[in-house]
Amino acid sequence: MLLLMCCMPETPRFLLTQHKRQEAMAALQFLWGSEQGWEEPCVESEHQVFQLALLRHPGIYKPFLIGISLMAFQQLSGINAIMFYAETIFEEAKFKDSSLASVIMGTIQVLFTAVAALIMDKAGRRLLLALSGVVMVFSTSAFGTYFKLTQDGSNNSSHVDLLAPVSTEPVDTSVGLAWLAVGSMCLFIAGFAVGWGPIPWLLMSEIFPLHVKGVATGVCVLTNWLMAFLVTKEFNNLMEVLRPYGVFWLASAFCIFSVLFTLFWVPETKGKTLEQITAHFEGR
């Protein structure tokens, strides 16, 4: 990565803010292969330095809140919890080599992320986010139902051992229910990879004005890792308090909120310039 970055130019917009028009044209030629059809944006406002007072402007605080919320919902969707359970569930489904679980999950994630990359500019960001969220609602609900069905006959202990079998049903029933979990898991990973996996990172690069992009991006990434830390740290405690089915139904509820948030708050950025997106936030 370090070696390849030596070949990368700065972005044309940044170079224009530094009054380096010739270098901006060269960067444009490198990135796009042509300067034809490119209109030079007005970058006067992008010379500002970020100040907290800027957060009073809707063109700043709206994308700020959207970016932070997208990162929080991404982690609250239950992606880490699903990954934690992958190998155990594949063992329950009587796979000969349960360690293949991570390989299968990774393969599904790569394939559906590639699908998202191919259709994102045609389908749009909002549509993929909404569809992705709906798929995750159903898959996490089914995953919670699996745990509810397999633990109904277990003892009343609130302690949950992640590596212990979760079922006391007969073997055939246990295997059948485990296949419900495997299907739910694969469906969740596919849904996540199509929308809530890649799109929050893409939107983060599209909705922030240049003069706040550095700080705003940093805050969003910090939010993402902070939520990942909290979810990972508290996962075991939640499993003991809410039981496994409660944890995944809670994730399903967060997925419902993510769909509603997408429909009511997230703008469509497909085919729009930064100026048009900023004008949308400012109500112009």
Side-chain angles (χ1 to χ4, degrees), residues 112 128 131-133 135-136 186-197:
F112 279 89
L128 286 181
L131 289 177
S132 171
V135 170
M136 292 193 299
C186 294
L187 184 63
F188 179 89
I189 296 298
F192 181 83
V194 165
W196 278 94

Side-chain angles (χ1 to χ4, degrees), residues 105-216:
M105 295 295 99
T107 301
I108 293 174
Q109 195 162 8
V110 168
L111 289 176
F112 279 89
T113 302
V115 170
L118 292 174
I119 67 174
M120 200 174 294
D121 283 328
K122 296 180 181 178
R125 285 78 160 126
R126 291 180 78 246
L127 177 61
L128 286 181
L129 275 180
L131 289 177
S132 171
V134 170
V135 170
M136 292 193 299
V137 167
F138 284 107
S139 55
T140 49
S141 297
F143 210 52
T145 301
Y146 158 77
F147 280 110
K148 179 65 174 174
L149 292 174
T150 55
Q151 291 192 354
D152 271 345
S154 62
N155 58 43
N156 295 324
S157 172
S158 63
H159 176 71
V160 178
D161 185 352
L162 296 185
L163 298 179
V166 293
S167 175
T168 59
E169 300 290 329
V171 173
D172 290 343
T173 305
S174 176
V175 173
L177 287 174
W179 275 104
L180 168 64
V182 170
S184 302
M185 192 187 313
C186 294
L187 184 63
F188 179 89
I189 296 298
F192 181 83
V194 165
W196 278 94
I199 292 180
W201 299 100
L202 173 63
L203 283 173
M204 186 175 66
S205 71
E206 294 180 327
I207 61 177
F208 295 126
L210 193 63
H211 61 287
V212 300
K213 183 170 288 188
V215 173

Side-chain angles (χ1 to χ4, degrees), residues 27-132:
L28 191 66
Q29 184 76 27
F30 176 86
L31 294 168
W32 287 8
S34 172
E35 299 176 17
Q36 295 180 355
W38 184 70
E39 297 180 5
E40 184 171 329
C42 177
V43 295
E44 293 302 317
S45 63
E46 296 176 355
H47 288 288
Q48 302 178 49
V49 177
F50 176 78
Q51 298 175 340
L52 288 177
L54 292 174
L55 292 176
R56 292 178 297 181
H57 302 291
I60 306 298
Y61 74 76
K62 285 184 179 180
F64 223 99
L65 292 175
I66 288 173
I68 291 172
S69 299
L70 287 172
M71 290 302 175
F73 279 126
Q74 185 190 67
Q75 292 299 326
L76 291 171
S77 66
I79 181 64
N80 285 322
I82 292 284
M83 289 303 192
F84 290 159
Y85 257 107
E87 189 167 334
T88 302
I89 294 304
F90 275 78
E91 288 176 358
E92 287 285 300
K94 305 302 178 186
F95 269 64
K96 292 181 180 179
D97 187 0
S98 61
S99 63
L100 283 175
S102 58
V103 176
I104 294 173
M105 295 295 99
T107 301
I108 293 174
Q109 195 162 8
V110 168
L111 289 176
F112 279 89
T113 302
V115 170
L118 292 174
I119 67 174
M120 200 174 294
D121 283 328
K122 296 180 181 178
R125 285 78 160 126
R126 291 180 78 246
L127 177 61
L128 286 181
L129 275 180
L131 289 177
S132 171

